[in-house]
């Protein structure tokens, strides 16, 4: 009898889960929270199962010939699932209230189901061993996001954002398919091993055209310069939990895609691609930082901040494989924690007032917990020690510097000063500006309080507790 | 045992913050008592360790800490992913800087009893700031050092922006961003030092055993040195300090000018000069040119200012310039003078800002043109201010004299003509310092007193205690410089040995 390998259990669970959740929605009463609870339970179970998979072998375990589970894959899966859990928590409150002046939304169960499908897309990307699977994964991660962005049918900005996102996304897909087809033309195969063999044997312009187009395609999804322009509008228009998921899961999927590609089939020419990566990284983080300077709406601000973060992440790709993978997993993890912390705070505030810098005024006097959490999130995103964000960035820069790209690293750290400026703006609004008039009291439900405190503690301790950063990476050997 | 106590220095402030979390913010007296106790405890601890280090000096230090004479040495692996270790230790220089910090933090807590706003958060931030400064002076691992070094920016911004006065957001941002700019230059270079050093270690001790490639040193040294110099307000990176100090609350000004600005100079000496002595020999003569602004123009600017904090800030800029003059001299006497100046200036500027803060609390102005004759009403604080001034202008008997004379002698031993010219200018600029300090004290304390100051009261016991302790520190170093110089010389010897061993530089190499 054929038995399923243990390492595939989380994948199968996550594939079945959304169907179960949507099924439960059909049998339960409309107002029942059973589907949501089921989704949560399933996601937490998946997260626990993922943590039980031992990280030991670097070559990974193959299932069929095009599905591979390696250490990087397992750790990225953990990030995806964590993001999904936090996303569903955010969604729960948003569905009850409909923050930021937008109408409340319907169909929580389907929403959560769709979110889980997007998460599964990320699973596919990190497991892919051929171009077709990789492409399927990327689309699987993206298409549900289009639907999620447009979820609130009554909100015209949401529809506009979704339209923009779909159009831009399809163009990106087209670019990517074009690049893939050239790659196939070059190597004569879609399997990574054979492409790697062909690339190792020698390069020609066909390969470079393919790489260029693939980078254009992924540039859209990773919000790299010059393809980042959709992000602020979509982040602004989408419902708040979707924005949070977009900024974490989508980004993580896109960066995982690049890692899989660059250290997989293109490993032989990684050093030749490095100048392109360095350039894209520097320009992106600079543009993102510049863009964030003048924002007054919180979510547009977060969009630009996440564009800049994409630039920082790219720097890690300059390093050798093990270091890069460690750096990226760690950074995405830390980034997810800080980003969700910020979105939870914005979410709570969004229930009572508009999501803008002005509405943060007087927060420190009104609710110290939220103000401290916001400061922790912002300082972590800005990369100020001893918060986790610093160690995350340190990993990225360490990876970049290990191959001698000191000037890229120097440019990035100098840009951090620019970034610090706008993160300070947020902190200033919350801590020093006085509110105009009387503020309506802010109430948090237990789940929100728990999430905010847990994420805040994680932001404070994730970097400095050695066993966290050391043990996560026992699978990777230097 | 002492090693364990040594590690507690930076932990106690953090533990204090944790202890205070459950205390309700309205119980300010309990909070103040806890924080004062914690500050005193650390002060006693550092005092004991300094005494211990003094009594054991001469006996061999921990083997793995050689060539530096580090005591209380601890080395525990921390972040294995990039070979970061938790390495702390202290020699004579560090222990005095720690002692200085402990005194200033203790004083800072005592003078902040009447701070307006959320006192719970304020005291927590002071303790976190103290942690970061202690950490900097204790760490012997570059990453650990950097983590503590940058952490102070976080606390500093929140303290200035929330509890400061005047253009507090502007001042706070200017300070934080300029310091972050310096830190970013440092961070970029640290990666280079790690990878070019080739010993897979961030330990200052380990890295000091290798010679970094010359072409790397040539660009890394100025970046690292200037990165550190930003926090010590070396021209052209001095602009943050007047606005930052002016808008900060008293305790933060004391900490910023008294201790934090020394972190940069300390970094220059302990890391930049020590790890890249070859490049230091090439670049430092150029740094001397920058000092003309600090030591010569700084006092002139102070002369024109009316705001007490601006005057003190510019006087700090000029005094810190002298530290760099001592460093640039690259002679044992110069280095000793620089280290002494770090400690001496810490106490004197702490006293300056403490008395200014106390006077401001009473007069509600820092503009000297609006004051006059207040010496009659607040003689104790007035005398404290004048003593700080005297120490600042280098009156014999106070610590400033010992430090400055060492720097000038050390700098003059350097045969470079430019250094000698700058030294002469610096000596002459003391006259300007004397002018602005006497002028300020005269305008503020003597003459006709506006009627509104009739009700002023002199310092309370708590304030007097802070002033007395700071004055005693100044006098102690001034009158008995021998024992402190002995310890400093021992600590500087390895650094100077490294500098003198460095191959004669080839310019352009």
């Amino acid at each position: 009898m054929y038995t399923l390998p243990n390492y595939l259990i989380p994948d199968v669970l996550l594939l079945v889960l959304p169907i179960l959740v949507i099924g439960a929605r059909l049998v339960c009463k409309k107002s029942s929270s059973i589907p949501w609870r089921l989704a949560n339970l399933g996601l937490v179970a998946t997260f626990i199962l993922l943590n039980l998979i031992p990280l030991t072998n670097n070559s990974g375990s193959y299932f069929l010939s095009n599905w591979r589970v390696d250490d990087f894959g397992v750790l990225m899966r953990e990030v995806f699932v964590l993001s999904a859990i936090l996303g569903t928590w955010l969604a729960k409150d948003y569905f009850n209230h409909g923050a930021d002046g937008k109408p409340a939304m319907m169909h929580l169960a389907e929403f959560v189901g769709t979110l889980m499908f997007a998460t599964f897309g990320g699973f596919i990307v990190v497991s892919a061993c051929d171009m077709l699977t990789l492409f399927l994964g990327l689309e699987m991660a993206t298409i549900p996001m289009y639907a999620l962005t447009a979820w609130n049918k009554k909100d015209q900005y949401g529809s506009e954002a979704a339209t923009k996102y779909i159009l831009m996304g399809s163009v990106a897909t087209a670019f990517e398919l074009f690049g893939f087809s050239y790659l196939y033309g070059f190597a004569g195969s879609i399997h990574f091993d054979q492409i790697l063999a062909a690339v190792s044997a020698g390069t020609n312009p066909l390969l470079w055209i393919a790489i260029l187009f693939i980078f254009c395609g992924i540039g859209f999804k990773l919000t790299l310069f010059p393809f980042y322009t959709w992000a602020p509008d979509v982040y602004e228009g989408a419902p708040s939990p979707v924005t949070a998921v977009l900024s974490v899961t989508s980004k993580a999927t896109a960066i995982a895609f690049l890692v899989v590609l660059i250290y997989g089939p293109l490993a032989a020419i990684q050093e030749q691609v490095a100048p392109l990566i360095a350039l894209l990284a520097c320009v992106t983080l600079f543009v993102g930082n510049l863009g964030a300077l003048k924002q007054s709406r919180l979510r547009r601000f977060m969009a630009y901040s996440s564009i800049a973060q994409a630039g920082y992440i790219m720097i890690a790709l300059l390093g050798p494989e093990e270091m890069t993978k460690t750096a990226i997993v760690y950074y995405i993890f830390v980034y997810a924690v800080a980003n969700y912390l910020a979105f939870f705070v914005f979410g709570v505030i969004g229930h009572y007032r508009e999501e803008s810098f002005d509405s943060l005024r007087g927060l420190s006097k009104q609710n110290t917990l939220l103000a401290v959490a916001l400061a922790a999130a912002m300082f972590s995103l800005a990369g100020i020690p001893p918060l986790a964000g610093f160690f995350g960035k340190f990993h990225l820069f360490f990876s970049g510097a290990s191959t001698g790209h000191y000037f890229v690293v120097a440019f990035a750290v100098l840009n951090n000063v620019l970034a610090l400026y706008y993160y300070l703006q947020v902190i200033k609004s919350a801590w020093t500006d006085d509110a105009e008039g009387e503020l309506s009291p802010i109430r948090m439900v237990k789940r929100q309080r728990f999430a905010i405190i847990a994420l805040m503690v994680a932001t404070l301790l994730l970097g400095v507790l050695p066993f966290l950063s050391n043990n996560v990476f026992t699978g990777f050997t230097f | 045992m002492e090693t364990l106590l040594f590690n507690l220095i930076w932990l106690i402030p953090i533990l204090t913050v944790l202890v205070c979390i459950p205390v309700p913010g309205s119980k300010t007296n309990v909070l103040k008592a806890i924080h004062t106790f914690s500050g005193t405890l650390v002060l006693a601890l550092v005092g004991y360790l300094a005494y211990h280090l003094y009594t054991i000096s001469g006996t061999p230090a921990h083997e793995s800490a050689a060539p530096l004479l580090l005591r209380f040495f601890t080395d525990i692996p921390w972040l294995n992913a990039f070979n970061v270790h938790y390495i702390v230790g202290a020699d004579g220089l560090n222990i005095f800087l720690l002692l200085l910090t402990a005194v200033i933090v203790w004083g800072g807590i005592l003078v902040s009893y009447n701070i307006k706003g959320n006192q719970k958060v304020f005291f927590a931030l002071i303790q976190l700031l103290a942690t970061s400064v202690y950490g900097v002076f204790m760490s012997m691992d570059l990453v650990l050092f950097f983590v503590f070094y940058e952490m102070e920016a976080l606390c500093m911004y929140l303290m200035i922006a929330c509890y400061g006065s005047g253009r507090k957001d502007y001042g706070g941002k200017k300070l934080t961003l300029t310091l972050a700019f310096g830190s970013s230059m440092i961070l970029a270079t640290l990666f280079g030092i790690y990878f070019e050093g080739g010993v897979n270690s961030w330990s200052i001790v380990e890295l000091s055993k290798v010679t970094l490639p010359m072409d790397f040193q040539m660009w890394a040294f100025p970046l690292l040195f200037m990165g550190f110099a930003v926090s010590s307000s070396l021209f052209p990176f001095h602009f943050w300090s007047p606005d930052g100090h002016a808008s900060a609350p008293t305790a933060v000004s004391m900490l910023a000018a008294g201790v934090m600005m020394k972190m940069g100079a300390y970094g220059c000496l302990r890391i930049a000069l020590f790890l890249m002595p070859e490049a230091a020999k090439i670049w430092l003569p150029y740094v001397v040119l920058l000092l003309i602004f600090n030591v010569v123009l700084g006092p002139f600017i102070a002369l024109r200012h009316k705001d007490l904090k601006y005057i003190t800030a510019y006087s700090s800029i000029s005094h810190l310039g002298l530290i760099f003059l001592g460093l640039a001299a690259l002679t044992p006497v110069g280095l000793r003078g620089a280290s002494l100046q770090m400690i001496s200036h810490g106490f004197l500027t702490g006293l300056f800002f403490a008395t200014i803060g106390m006077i401001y609390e009473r007069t509600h102005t820092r503009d000297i043109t609006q004051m006059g004759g207040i010496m009659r009403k607040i003689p104790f604080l007035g005398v404290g201010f004048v003593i700080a001034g005297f120490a600042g202008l280098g009156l014999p008997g106070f610590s400033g004299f010992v430090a400055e004379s060492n720097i000038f002698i050390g700098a003059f031993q350097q045969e470079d003509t430019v250094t000698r010219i700058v030294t002469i200018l610096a000596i002459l600029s003391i006259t300007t310092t004397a002018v602005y300090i006497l002028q300020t004290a005269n305008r503020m304390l003597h003459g006709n007193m506006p009627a509104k100051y009739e009700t002023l009261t002199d310092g309370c016991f708590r304030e007097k205690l802070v002033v007395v302790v700071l004055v005693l520190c100044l006098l102690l170093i001034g009158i008995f410089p021998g024992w402190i110089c002995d310890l400093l010389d021992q600590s500087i010897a390895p650094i100077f040995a490294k500098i003198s061993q460095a191959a004669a530089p080839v310019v352009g190499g």
Side-chain angles (χ1 to χ4, degrees):
Chain A
M1 199 182 89
Y2 185 78
T3 51
L4 192 70
N6 284 341
Y7 58 83
L8 281 187
I9 296 175
D11 298 20
V12 175
L13 183 61
L14 190 67
L15 189 60
V16 177
L17 199 60
I19 301 166
L20 281 180
V21 170
I22 296 170
R25 156 81 174 79
L26 295 176
V27 291
C28 294
K29 267 192 283 180
K30 211 173 179 183
S31 59
S32 163
S33 66
I34 291 175
W36 185 81
R37 280 167 197 273
L38 182 69
N40 247 318
L41 199 70
L43 284 172
V44 171
T46 317
F47 189 72
I48 293 169
L49 283 176
L50 280 170
N51 276 292
L52 294 179
I53 297 176
L55 300 175
T56 45
N57 52 4
N58 284 312
S59 59
S61 309
Y62 286 86
F63 175 70
L64 302 177
S65 70
N66 57 356
W67 191 274
R68 192 178 73 157
V69 179
D70 58 1
D71 297 346
F72 177 69
V74 173
L75 292 167
M76 285 306 282
R77 279 172 166 78
E78 289 176 12
V79 178
F80 292 138
V81 174
L82 185 74
S83 168
I85 295 173
L86 294 169
T88 49
W89 285 12
L90 267 176
K92 174 78 172 156
D93 304 310
Y94 196 85
F95 269 74
N96 294 344
H97 290 269
D100 199 9
K102 291 180 181 174
M105 295 199 291
M106 310 278 282
H107 310 299
L108 176 61
E110 286 86 341
F111 183 91
V112 174
T114 317
L115 183 63
M116 284 190 280
F117 277 126
T119 309
F120 191 71
F123 277 35
I124 305 179
V125 167
V126 290
S127 314
C129 285
D130 65 38
M131 302 306 281
L132 187 62
T133 318
L134 190 63
F135 180 75
L136 280 177
L138 199 61
E139 287 309 292
M140 178 84 176
T142 319
I143 291 171
M145 294 311 296
Y146 299 151
L148 291 176
T149 309
W151 205 264
N152 201 345
K153 281 186 283 187
K154 290 178 195 156
D155 178 24
Q156 55 165 343
Y157 295 108
S159 314
E160 188 192 322
T163 316
K164 205 170 244 174
Y165 191 24
I166 292 172
L167 285 177
M168 289 292 191
S170 353
V171 174
T173 308
F175 269 116
E176 231 150 58
L177 267 184
F178 196 61
F180 283 179
S181 59
Y182 267 63
L183 203 57
Y184 173 70
F186 169 78
S189 166
I190 55 165
H191 202 273
F192 284 178
D193 291 346
Q194 270 125 31
I195 298 176
L196 179 61
V199 171
S200 309
T203 59
N204 67 18
L206 202 61
L207 176 67
W208 291 110
I209 293 174
I211 291 175
L212 199 66
F213 276 103
I214 293 174
F215 263 88
C216 288
I218 203 63
F220 275 106
K221 313 226 159 159
L222 195 56
T223 60
L224 296 181
F225 180 85
F227 310 113
Y228 65 94
T229 44
W230 60 271
D233 298 330
V234 175
Y235 277 46
E236 171 87 25
S240 168
V242 179
T243 312
V245 175
L246 257 180
S247 67
V248 176
T249 305
S250 285
K251 195 134 284 178
T253 313
I255 194 75
F257 172 92
L258 266 185
V259 171
V260 167
L261 206 63
I262 288 175
Y263 296 100
L266 303 181
I269 52 163
Q270 189 261 345
E271 280 180 22
Q272 286 153 277
V273 184
L276 177 68
I277 296 174
L279 184 73
L280 280 177
C282 290
V283 180
T284 305
L285 66 91
F286 186 58
V287 167
N289 280 337
L290 278 190
L293 285 179
K294 280 286 161 200
Q295 300 306 322
S296 59
R297 303 271 307 162
L298 285 174
R299 272 198 265 154
R300 280 191 89 79
F301 163 79
M302 287 307 278
Y304 277 105
S305 134
S306 96
I307 292 168
Q309 302 285 356
Y312 288 112
I313 300 174
M314 288 288 281
I315 291 173
L317 291 171
L318 298 170
E321 182 175 358
E322 303 299 334
M323 238 182 241
T324 302
K325 287 183 171 175
T326 318
I328 285 183
V329 168
Y330 186 72
Y331 191 74
I332 291 278
F333 198 59
V334 163
Y335 169 72
V337 168
N339 226 29
Y340 270 108
L341 180 57
F343 273 104
F344 265 102
V345 176
F346 295 159
V348 173
I349 294 168
H351 285 172
Y352 301 95
R353 42 197 109 131
E354 209 186 332
E355 280 184 26
S356 72
F357 279 63
D358 285 343
S359 57
L360 293 175
R361 284 160 173 259
L363 190 65
S364 69
K365 292 194 183 77
Q366 196 188 11
N367 192 322
T368 314
L369 173 67
L370 282 183
V372 173
L374 190 67
M378 290 301 139
F379 277 130
S380 183
L381 287 173
I384 300 285
L387 301 171
F390 167 74
F391 293 94
K393 279 197 176 140
F394 194 87
H395 260 291
L396 300 178
F397 298 153
F398 188 76
S399 176
S402 68
T403 45
H405 290 89
Y406 300 131
F407 285 96
V408 178
V409 172
F411 182 79
V413 287
L414 280 179
N415 256 280
N416 241 1
V417 183
L418 208 59
L420 183 59
Y421 175 79
Y422 58 76
Y423 289 121
L424 282 184
Q425 294 283 68
V426 180
I427 297 169
K428 171 191 167 257
S429 302
W431 280 75
T432 66
D433 291 352
D434 289 323
E436 290 159 2
E438 203 56 20
L439 291 172
S440 50
I442 290 177
R443 279 188 211 90
M444 283 185 275
V445 293
K446 259 190 200 151
R447 185 180 52 253
Q448 285 170 327
R449 190 180 287 275
F450 170 74
I452 287 173
I453 292 177
L455 288 173
M456 190 165 69
V457 171
T459 312
L460 292 173
L461 295 184
L462 210 55
V464 290
L465 290 186
F467 58 88
L468 283 175
S469 59
N470 290 342
N471 288 7
V472 166
F473 307 113
T474 42
F476 294 131
T477 46
F478 282 125
Chain B
M1 180 62 189
E2 276 75 21
T3 307
L4 185 72
L5 289 179
F6 183 71
N7 283 290
L8 280 179
I9 295 178
W10 70 270
L11 275 171
I12 291 176
I14 288 202
L15 292 176
T16 313
V17 175
L18 292 180
V19 165
C20 287
I21 286 179
V23 180
S26 54
K27 295 199 171 171
T28 49
N29 284 338
V30 179
L31 287 169
K32 283 173 198 164
I34 295 176
H35 286 286
T36 311
F37 174 73
S38 150
T40 319
L41 185 67
V42 178
L43 179 58
L45 194 62
V46 183
Y48 167 71
L49 291 174
Y51 175 74
H52 183 75
L53 199 140
Y54 180 66
T55 52
I56 60 164
S57 66
T59 53
H62 197 286
E63 309 175 348
S64 52
L68 285 174
L69 294 170
L70 295 176
R71 314 283 167 170
F72 320 122
F73 193 73
T74 315
D75 182 348
I76 304 167
W78 180 31
L79 304 172
N80 290 338
F82 23 67
N83 292 325
V84 176
H85 285 225
Y86 168 80
I87 308 175
V88 293
D91 56 12
L93 174 61
N94 299 40
I95 204 78
F96 281 120
L97 288 170
L98 286 168
L99 193 60
L100 162 73
T101 313
V103 173
I104 300 288
V105 169
W106 172 82
I109 293 173
L110 283 187
V111 300
S112 305
Y113 271 35
N114 298 331
I115 195 93
K116 288 182 185 66
N118 191 340
Q119 296 200 343
K120 185 175 170 180
V121 177
F122 180 83
F123 283 112
L125 286 171
I126 275 214
Q127 295 286 10
L128 290 178
L129 193 59
T131 301
S132 77
V133 184
Y134 290 134
V136 165
F137 292 139
M138 289 163 78
S139 356
M140 287 295 149
D141 180 283
L142 292 178
V143 178
L144 187 67
F145 177 92
F146 186 81
V147 167
F148 282 122
Y149 187 84
E150 177 115 343
M151 196 175 128
E152 121 269 333
L154 181 155
C155 313
M156 199 68 107
Y157 174 74
L158 290 177
M159 289 180 85
I160 296 180
C162 298
Y163 302 92
S165 54
R167 295 198 298 167
K168 52 189 184 176
D169 179 51
Y170 170 77
K173 257 188 203 145
K174 199 169 176 179
L175 176 141
T176 312
L177 292 174
T178 321
L179 293 185
F181 173 71
S183 305
S184 66
M185 303 208 299
I186 298 167
L187 183 60
T189 336
L190 292 190
F191 285 114
I193 293 179
Y194 177 83
F195 288 111
E196 299 289 331
V199 284
N200 281 340
S201 169
W202 299 92
S203 159
I204 295 176
V205 179
E206 291 302 315
L207 284 166
S208 72
K209 293 174 188 162
V210 296
T211 306
L212 295 165
M214 202 53 205
D215 53 346
F216 166 73
Q217 283 197 29
M218 280 309 287
W219 67 262
F221 180 80
L223 214 58
L224 187 62
F225 192 87
M226 291 317 279
F228 281 123
V230 169
S231 81
S232 293
S233 64
L234 179 65
F235 178 81
F237 299 117
H238 62 287
F239 50 85
W240 62 269
S241 101
D243 291 314
H245 290 161
S247 46
T250 307
V252 178
S253 299
M254 284 170 73
L255 270 162
V259 188
M260 209 199 74
M261 287 170 91
K262 310 301 172 306
M263 287 170 17
Y266 169 77
C268 286
L269 177 62
R270 176 69 86 207
I271 299 174
L273 245 70
F274 191 44
L275 298 184
M276 294 188 256
E278 290 85 1
K281 283 187 172 173
I282 299 173
W283 282 107
L284 283 180
Y286 298 101
V287 171
V288 172
L289 292 174
L290 299 177
L291 292 177
I292 296 177
F293 176 89
N294 277 72
V295 294
V296 181
L297 292 180
F300 277 103
I301 298 174
L303 199 61
R304 297 293 305 156
H305 266 287
K306 304 272 182 283
D307 186 312
L308 275 174
K309 278 200 172 179
Y310 274 95
I311 294 173
T312 318
Y314 277 104
S315 105
S316 287
I317 291 178
S318 81
H319 284 125
L320 283 157
L322 292 178
I323 297 182
F324 285 103
L325 186 61
L327 293 182
L330 285 178
T331 56
V333 181
L335 294 181
R336 181 214 287 159
S339 327
L340 264 176
Q341 176 78 343
M342 287 184 212
I343 300 159
S344 146
H345 180 256
F347 288 123
L348 97 86
T349 204
L351 181 58
F352 248 137
F353 277 115
T355 44
I356 290 174
M358 293 168 195
I359 293 172
Y360 176 74
E361 253 182 50
R362 290 167 172 76
T363 58
H364 303 291
T365 178
R366 292 194 309 253
D367 188 342
I368 48 172
T369 54
Q370 306 216 345
M371 296 184 202
I374 54 174
M375 188 67 148
R376 268 169 274 155
K377 289 288 163 192
I378 47 169
F380 195 89
L381 299 181
V383 169
F385 181 82
V386 172
I387 290 180
F390 283 163
L393 59 84
L395 203 69
F398 292 108
S399 60
F401 174 74
V402 188
E404 285 173 22
S405 50
N406 269 303
I407 290 172
F408 294 141
I409 295 168
F412 217 74
Q413 284 171 347
Q414 170 73 262
E415 282 160 11
D416 180 43
T417 322
V418 180
T419 312
R420 286 190 168 182
I421 293 174
V422 175
T423 312
I424 294 171
L425 287 174
I427 296 171
L428 292 177
S429 76
I430 289 184
T431 333
T432 328
T433 312
V435 172
Y436 73 74
I437 283 176
L438 293 178
Q439 172 185 294
T440 310
N442 186 36
R443 281 196 198 171
M444 188 170 107
L445 303 171
H446 302 289
N448 295 327
M449 185 177 67
K452 60 182 173 180
Y453 295 143
E454 280 300 336
T455 53
L456 290 191
T457 50
D458 208 359
C460 62
F461 173 73
R462 180 171 49 78
E463 291 169 325
K464 283 180 178 169
L465 187 65
V466 175
V467 172
V468 166
V469 168
L470 288 171
V471 170
L472 278 181
C473 291
L474 289 173
L475 283 172
L476 210 61
I477 304 172
I479 300 173
F480 307 106
W483 58 281
I484 181 168
C485 285
D486 286 348
L487 266 185
L488 285 179
D489 282 347
Q490 280 178 22
S491 326
I492 287 160
I495 301 178
F496 185 70
K498 184 110 198 284
I499 293 167
S500 53
Q501 277 163 18
V506 183
V507 177

